[in-house]
Every structure is written in C-alpha cells, then in structure tokens.
Amino acid sequence: MARGIGGQLFAWAVETVGARGGQTMHIAADPQAAHFYRRMGAVDDGHISSASIPGRSLPLLCYQIADSG
C-alpha cells in the first residue's frame, strides 16, 4: 500500500478498457477500497450484492473513461 501500484493498475485498466472502446467502468468495490476508487475519480452509483458473501452489500462506483458525445 502507498507505493503507487494501485494507481498504476487502475491507469492500466482505464487504458485497456478505453482502447477496446469502453466508455465507462463499473466497479463493485470492497468497502475498504471504495475511497481509493473515489480518489481516482470514480463516483458512487449505488450498491450491489456481493457475489461471494451472501447478504453483503458492496459500494458500486462508476468511472467515466470517455464522453459519449
């Protein structure tokens, strides 16, 4: 943590999705990691049920890669 690796991985994901024509990334974040994604520019977009832990709700974040216009 705090070595910049997460930011590098996030930048790689944004670049990869954008290069394949994606405009938006939806992130089901661990509650402990949601602040990191917000610092990267993602915004809250509700909550989603965890696929691995029944009854757990995860923050759903949205990161806009490119404008649709």
Side-chain angles (χ1 to χ4, degrees):
M1 290 179 55
R3 293 183 176 176
I5 295 169
Q8 291 174 9
L9 288 170
F10 188 82
W12 171 83
V14 169
E15 181 180 330
T16 301
V17 171
R20 295 178 183 200
Q23 296 179 347
T24 305
M25 289 190 337
H26 297 277
I27 306 159
D30 182 280
Q32 304 264 342
H35 183 66
F36 166 80
Y37 293 113
R38 291 180 189 114
R39 283 196 333 258
M40 296 290 105
V43 296
D44 289 286
D45 194 26
H47 287 84
I48 190 167
S49 297
S50 170
S52 58
I53 302 175
R56 185 178 191 206
S57 177
L58 301 174
L60 180 63
L61 295 109
C62 180
Y63 182 85
Q64 192 70 29
I65 295 171
D67 291 332
S68 60

